[in-house]
Amino acid sequence: MHLNQTDDRMRAFAERVFASETKDDDVRDEISMFDVADDCPILNQELAQHMVEDDDVEKRSVYKLYNYITPFLIKPVKKVHPNLTFNQSPHSKKYLSRTHPMLEDKPTYLEVPHFQRVSITGDYAAGVTMDDFELACKGLYRALAIREKYMKLAFQRFPITPSQYLCKIEGEQWKPENQVLPVFTPLPKPGEDPFCTKDFPPNLGYIPRMKDGVIYVYKDAASADKHQPLNHPGPDLATFIDDMNFLIALIAQGPTKTYTHRRLKFLMSKFNVHEMLNEMEEMKELKKNPHRDFYNCRKVDTHIHAAACMNQKHLLRFIKNSYRVDADRVVHVLKGKEVTLKELFASLNLHPYDLTVDSLDVHAGRQTFQRFDKFNAKYNPVGASELRDLYMKTENHISGEYFATIIKEVASDLEDARYQYAEPRLSIYGCNPNEWTKLAGWFNKHRVYSPQLKWMIQVPRIYDIFRARNFVPHFGKMLENIFLPVFQATIDPNSNPELSVFLKHVTGFDSVDDESKHSGHMFSTKSPKPEEWDIVKSPSYSYWIYYMYANIARLNQLRKERGMNTFQFRPHCGEAGAVTHLLACFMTADNISHGLNLKKSPVLQYLYYLAQVPIAMSPLSNNSLFLEYNKNPLPEFHKKGLVVSLSTDDPMQFHYTREPLMEEYAIAAQVFKLSTCDMCEIARNSVLQSGLSAEEKNHFLGANYMKDGPEGNDIRKTNVAQIRMAYRYESLCYELNLIREGAMAE
Amino acid sequence: MHLNQTDDRMRAFAERVFASETKDDDVRDEISMFDVADDCPILNQELAQHMVEDDDVEKRSVYKLYNYITPFLIKPVKKVHPNLTFNQSPHSKKYLSRTHPMLEDKPTYLEVPHFQRVSITGDYAAGVTMDDFELACKGLYRALAIREKYMKLAFQRFPITPSQYLCKIEGEQWKPENQVLPVFTPLPKPGEDPFCTKDFPPNLGYIPRMKDGVIYVYKDAASADKHQPLNHPGPDLATFIDDMNFLIALIAQGPTKTYTHRRLKFLMSKFNVHEMLNEMEEMKELKKNPHRDFYNCRKVDTHIHAAACMNQKHLLRFIKNSYRVDADRVVHVLKGKEVTLKELFASLNLHPYDLTVDSLDVHAGRQTFQRFDKFNAKYNPVGASELRDLYMKTENHISGEYFATIIKEVASDLEDARYQYAEPRLSIYGCNPNEWTKLAGWFNKHRVYSPQLKWMIQVPRIYDIFRARNFVPHFGKMLENIFLPVFQATIDPNSNPELSVFLKHVTGFDSVDDESKHSGHMFSTKSPKPEEWDIVKSPSYSYWIYYMYANIARLNQLRKERGMNTFQFRPHCGEAGAVTHLLACFMTADNISHGLNLKKSPVLQYLYYLAQVPIAMSPLSNNSLFLEYNKNPLPEFHKKGLVVSLSTDDPMQFHYTREPLMEEYAIAAQVFKLSTCDMCEIARNSVLQSGLSAEEKNHFLGANYMKDGPEGNDIRKTNVAQIRMAYRYESLCYELNLIREGAMAE
């Protein structure tokens, strides 16, 4: 075989191949710059500008355009009230005028620059018949009213704008007093000790006692025996079940499903058009904004478990260091015998010097996908529960000293990073009434306080395990163990000063477990009361959620009355399992973690949008457990206008770098192609959603952070474009206005 | 409208909905744990184990199995040599026996634990007729022989295993002397100055002179005039073009396309099966491996541009700091007038104090996708080329001091991170013969040396721009400007001691530009010689590559003779444009950057696999420019056994965190679901591919790193499982053996 054989025939052939190669140069078009949904083919700025600015445009062409933008808004059966169109929407005038600073006396940073709006002209209903439209709107209205009611009862948040629309529908005047707000403990003033046990209010002498799974507060023992509780309003079980049944029916109702599906599709397409037209303008705002960029925007890790808040490398380093310093310290009791750290490792047949991230084996690999059971086992370093007890528990032979030290190291890293905060979860199991005292003891003893951390209590839904081992006689006892100590410390703070200090720094409750486990039980008025629930099976998710909520609501009433901080209910919800979980939380939760299953119910997804329920999403965690990264609905939810934030869940198990929250943002930015404005909006959402105090939010987001729309945004602090804020606000008003029209129709 | 209306009908309906919800609980199965390709449905361990271990298995069932694994290996037309089957493959016996440590005197860490092998039994050819099989194998053999020839000529690497098979085909005995190796400068010994200009070898008095675009070395001026060069072998243009035409024909040849496509599909399926069967065993090896985990494996950033090697936040901080310290320093000449840093910023209407990452605007956003032109503009901070000149150039009013400082800061971060290395590219444009002296001056003046950095020279393919401005008379002049100074410094190092020092630390040449620009010219024997190429149009990619290669090859001959370090050719290739780019580099490049377009040619992809050509891939860079992240072929290439490494390309433009290379690995691990073994294998590839010296590779990979297969792997240093190494080695031998069979058939 000759290598250097010249062959003219071959050269000719090569030239032909080369020539055909040259032509095949269409790589550039393989992926277009913006993947606009098929149903939204407007691709050029002039067209849209034309539409918005030129009111005298020939009627026929308007209709053509309008058919392009809104293929799902068909001509209505009867004529709808004309003020549905954008230009007459209740707030838009105000914002349009704000673009002329002469007209109003607003500071420059609140100005919304000119931008191109997507406006819908002409008569329309929403791709459904007028009857269906009204039916859907009435149902959605009632659903929103249900959420507002339960939020108010528990001092949780319901945003002003939907609240104002609900008032309008009811023909009432909205008053600022209507708004009920949570109370968070502000940062200690300079020189103030966050662990100070003085100045607690005096004992009220009330008696807290559980009845039917809910703790009531009585003036004295006598009225307790007669069940004459003090007048703290709380949810009523029968009404709650009614409301729940109404919502279950609503999310399965055909016309409502069609209507909400179409609205969500519209919101998606509208955002794509908005982005295409205004992306550069938004970026211009950010570029002109001095000092502030994505790196120095405040971001809160809204969902993180304390036991896994360090990354794997950090845990490894800590274990190695602890051995270097503490090898001869008695740290554990093994089969009734006290052992030193050295002996403990010897009993496990390992030496920390040889340990690696691989042998530590706390990282979720491909093995955990769709396997929550395996995932839980990953909490044990080197597969040894002894090490979990020693390093990741608050209660052990060394009083949780190592765990406290690790958390303080994480906090100190956050303090160094300056702009990052976290809301770690600590567990209360409800197995024993002493848990609170022990946990508070740990908190105070090791002074586990940092301005970067806001504490949450997570309650694992593992009644079945405790009941099977006979640790608790019935479900009611668990609820009592979880809530009674907190009521007692609220009534007489000085009776348990350490707990009272700890509670000041707790901002809410979480409910956690594998949602894909299914109980099969349906929560109804016929369900056994918690004190009667003595079977080994766990009650359903909704049952759990209701009783957590009912107790938190009454607790908050009492604490608010005493001038103490209140607690938010922020359960894990919609990570897996039935969509009814999301329904229960729509009624009860201030905000949720995960929310993936909103993809499965357009009605709930639209309701979460209308009520602007915050959702802490953790796509990296989902990627290891339930859903591949590029299939995560986060970018879709964000585009539609749902209020999403990014959180890490378990850095120990999922993250690689020293800055897990930044890793989470960086990967989302890269894979989902988020713009800087998107990232800063998500960061702003995370601060709003968090348990940071009003003072901190003021400082991080601007003085008017409670207001909706551009008014509430201080771009100098948030780096979110006012154009984006105006777009979000106007879109929400537009949707709420549709509901109002439909709900008020005769 | 009443909120608390109980409605039995509704409750009943709600219960029905709930019940149906319960049934719909199949989320767990939505994504199966391993997405095995359709054509490879073996899903259970027992089956495969059975196959491998039980030789007496009933014949019929073997055939059934074999039909499952290898639907593309059909029964052959004529009988193929029996030693194609795995058990007789030349090296497997050896490795199988190594699992019994008693039999051989090997250290334990070299042992390959038992693992489950995919073996193919029965007669077969490869889904093609025997004639086509032989045709394909003969073509592939010749292609490999072509690459080996050009690698040897330029002191570039060709792996031992394919080289041994080529010898066998040619009926020759392979000798270790056959192997030609590059020479890299080792780390300076303790106390040795990397900038020492003493001890250079004396002047040889040779005359380097360009002829037909290639620099030849002559004994003296007289022989130069007669063109009687010294006997340094180099490529011959006519032969090169013949070889190229042969390869162009080969990649378009039907049978070869079919054959290679099927082999690649087989390799993919085989890896999936291997992974499914042995993932846990591989992990077990890593867990047992003390000290070493992914974090402390050495990794090299094999492709990074010096001008963008800092991240955006770093650049911002540096600019702000420089203003704080140097505001009144004269740093620039503006319209003929010297200006201070303060005046320079004033002329740009900005104050560094207000600068943010947003206004800096060096990050590639969605705007750069499919727009290489926009991407280049991103190199200018705040869109101002003055700032690029000041901060990111080696030549400016402050002699590149800022740029040197930034690079030294990056190097110092790498030194802190300890296990990360980088190979930054500095530009030589070929516009002026003084460029080398200036660049070397900068390097020596600012002492820009770090053991973490290995330098590369990138040559931008922008002849057309220089020619249009009349900076150069013809293409030959550019080549002369690029290579002549290096030849001169090699012949008489003391004539330019600074350059001689710098060249010691240079490890190779890169060729860079937007590959999607198409020249339309086809490189052939009829192409004008470089000295005749005086039109404004740039020559084609292949033309550029050939002349770069031809000069590097002759340069390396000379440097090797003088005992100096040699240079590798490592161009950007296959990021976009025609697949012929990948063909030119298959002939000339030690390794390439990007390689995305290998997806388009199964023949080239298979050849890159067979010759184990390393590919430095940058999926985050591609994500911003040419290809969405989750469509990147990296995981596919890696599974098939192509030698891929991960690199950052331009941290300034693509990355968010303080550790860009770790960010690159972390995102790849998350999105592509790479196992620890995969990540460590990629890290090992990066060290092998790099210009780290033999001493360093020895230290980082183990003493036998030059050997192929498990013998060459020291798991204690690399953390790559021996099972993986054995799998890769046996698979490669299997494929090469097929080629041998086909090529040797009569």
Side-chain angles (χ1 to χ4, degrees), chain B residues 109-146:
Chain B
Y109 70 86
L110 278 181
E111 274 174 36
V112 181
H114 272 295
F115 71 104
Q116 299 186 62
R117 289 174 165 84
V118 182
S119 100
I120 312 295
T121 59
D123 295 333
Y124 58 94
V128 291
T129 66
M130 211 55 209
D131 289 341
D132 283 356
F133 169 66
E134 285 170 17
L135 179 72
C137 289
K138 288 195 163 89
L140 293 169
Y141 154 65
R142 184 171 158 190
L144 287 175
I146 288 173

Side-chain angles (χ1 to χ4, degrees), chain B residues 231-276:
Chain B
N231 188 25
H232 294 135
D236 167 70
L237 179 62
T239 315
F240 186 88
I241 301 263
D242 273 348
D243 290 340
M244 193 178 77
N245 286 338
F246 165 75
L247 286 170
I248 291 179
L250 184 73
I251 65 170
Q253 197 178 51
T256 310
K257 269 161 56 173
T258 307
Y259 178 72
T260 53
H261 175 70
R262 282 165 185 261
R263 295 318 301 166
L264 288 165
K265 257 183 98 170
F266 171 73
L267 282 167
M268 183 78 174
S269 302
K270 190 175 168 190
F271 186 82
N272 283 333
V273 174
H274 168 79
E275 196 177 29
M276 187 169 53

